[in-house]
Amino acid sequence: PIEKGIVKDWAAMEALWRHVLFRELGIKRSRNASPVLMVVPTDWTKEEHERITQIFFENFNVPGLYLAEEPLMILYGCATVTGLIIDIGHNSTEITPIIDTQIQKNAIQTIPLAGADIDAYFLQQLRLDAQLVREYGEPMDLEFARYLKESGVCGALGKDEKGANARVHAEYNGKRFTVGSVRYKAVDPLFNPDLVGKRVLNIIEAIHAALYGVKPEKRQALWESIIVTGGSCQIAGLQNRIQSAIEESLTVSENFGEFQVREVKFLKIPDYFPSLKDSIVHAGFLGSEIVAKLIFPDPRNYINKVDYNESGPSVVHTKTF
């Protein structure tokens, strides 16, 4: 139902939500006592927010609804209220500055460079590995490349880092083989879009563009609270490569000016969430869970049935986020 982050088939979207609520979670529509927190992308429109609200109250009979924007939930999952979210999705990468819980929407940068480009370029490089081609012995496709990427075979190297020359062993569909140094090239399109034929900002340029969209005095707090998330963030070394590329791109001076960048820091899920602390990709889920526990005990904190009956779907614009 969703293509490139936009709902294209609302009937299918509603059917999916219905399946989750009433089949997977076992909620009874006629006796629905479960309020819902719905996480939405920052670029969904007011009309889409209203449609979600109408579906959940009128078709699913929920007692309450709270719409939350995804970058903010990721930020909360890392126990902070100010930060720069770098969300590497499948079709696009979105870079969102947030200051004191306020998403700086005028500064958001979205580039059509993400996981799909990593997969396609990685596949291209795998096909150039003659020993791998010989050992695997079958045509390679995107599923093959994606599996290797997600299995931990891939890595990312900083400018001056050198990867191990030894080939690594891998297995796919019962076949065993080895992968050479091409495993370090998968993320290169994020830093050089020309490799996949795209003339767009690279990820470092987009980060700078997002930071330039906020007031100069607020930028240092963002540089010190960067969160890299999304499916491809789990590639080993990617965060370090982004950090080294950022630091290389910054103007360095011994005499710090008022707005000179002093330090670049990356955040993670706090250690007091031991089961999730090494899974930054789950930060959004954790943040949503925290928000749900805080708001749902009191009906005044979310859109309840009284609110909806009085104002209709448009209430979502006055009582959410």
Side-chain angles (χ1 to χ4, degrees):
I2 297 179
E3 295 179 14
K4 297 183 179 181
I6 304 299
V7 178
K8 297 293 186 180
D9 186 339
W10 279 97
M13 192 76 252
E14 182 177 341
L16 176 61
W17 287 330
R18 184 181 300 275
H19 176 81
V20 171
L21 290 173
F22 304 138
R23 291 290 184 88
E24 297 296 328
L25 298 179
I27 295 171
K28 302 295 183 183
R29 185 191 180 283
S30 59
R31 300 190 301 275
N32 192 345
S34 301
V36 171
L37 184 147
M38 173 66 67
V39 178
V40 296
T42 56
D43 57 353
W44 280 16
T45 65
K46 290 183 176 181
E47 290 75 18
E48 288 168 321
H49 293 172
E50 289 185 11
R51 191 159 187 174
I52 291 169
T53 304
Q54 183 175 14
I55 288 171
F56 273 82
F57 277 104
E58 297 185 11
N59 298 0
F60 299 158
N61 193 36
V62 296
L65 179 70
Y66 187 89
L67 292 192
E69 291 185 300
E70 187 175 14
L72 194 55
M73 298 300 101
I74 294 170
L75 196 68
Y76 290 166
C78 293
T80 187
V81 295
T82 293
L84 184 73
I85 311 299
I86 304 171
D87 190 352
I88 306 171
H90 182 66
N91 293 301
S92 65
T93 294
E94 184 175 278
I95 299 163
T96 308
I98 303 174
I99 299 172
D100 295 331
T101 75
Q102 300 301 306
I103 295 176
Q104 308 299 298
K105 292 197 173 184
N106 62 310
I108 293 174
Q109 294 291 317
T110 302
I111 52 174
L113 200 63
D117 300 290
I118 292 175
D119 295 342
Y121 185 71
F122 188 35
L123 175 60
Q124 176 185 328
Q125 295 302 306
L126 289 170
R127 288 171 173 168
L128 296 176
D129 186 332
Q131 184 172 336
L132 167 61
V133 172
R134 193 166 54 251
E135 292 173 349
Y136 186 60
E138 292 185 12
M140 303 175 195
D141 57 16
L142 281 173
E143 285 301 318
F144 177 79
R146 190 174 300 119
Y147 174 82
L148 290 185
K149 180 187 76 173
E150 295 173 353
S151 68
V153 167
C154 276
L157 300 176
K159 182 182 178 184
D160 299 321
E161 290 183 301
K162 293 183 178 180
N165 290 324
R167 301 180 68 83
V168 296
H169 293 270
E171 183 176 344
Y172 180 72
N173 283 348
K175 282 184 169 286
R176 295 184 178 182
F177 48 87
T178 61
V179 183
S181 60
V182 296
R183 66 186 184 274
Y184 296 117
K185 297 182 178 182
V187 301
D188 286 358
L190 293 178
F191 303 87
N192 183 6
D194 289 340
L195 294 174
V196 288
K198 292 187 175 182
R199 303 192 67 177
V200 297
L201 295 179
N202 66 38
I203 193 169
I204 304 304
E205 293 167 339
I207 290 169
H208 280 285
L211 267 295
Y212 289 146
V214 303
K215 294 180 179 178
E217 63 269 21
K218 300 291 185 181
R219 293 173 190 166
Q220 183 57 46
L222 296 172
W223 282 121
E224 294 178 355
S225 304
I226 300 174
I227 300 169
V228 181
T229 187
S232 297
C233 78
Q234 299 177 88
I235 295 175
L238 177 57
Q239 180 176 297
N240 289 339
R241 180 164 178 183
I242 292 174
Q243 182 170 2
S244 63
I246 288 174
E247 291 172 347
E248 183 183 355
S249 70
L250 293 172
T251 302
V252 178
S253 171
E254 293 183 359
N255 299 315
F256 284 113
E258 183 180 359
F259 303 126
Q260 174 81 30
V261 179
R262 290 165 172 77
E263 193 171 10
V264 176
K265 293 182 182 178
F266 287 75
L267 302 182
K268 64 174 187 174
I269 293 174
D271 290 341
Y272 48 78
F273 294 106
S275 63
L276 294 174
K277 65 184 180 69
D278 296 320
S279 302
I280 191 69
V281 71
H282 294 125
F285 175 82
L286 176 60
S288 302
E289 187 177 26
I290 292 169
V291 170
K293 288 183 177 180
L294 290 173
I295 64 170
F296 283 142
D298 188 346
R300 293 174 296 181
N301 294 332
Y302 55 88
I303 305 168
N304 55 54
K305 279 191 173 180
V306 173
D307 299 323
Y308 185 79
N309 291 337
E310 288 179 352
S311 305
S314 62
V315 70
V316 71
H317 308 310
T318 58
K319 199 173 183 182
T320 192
F321 301 131

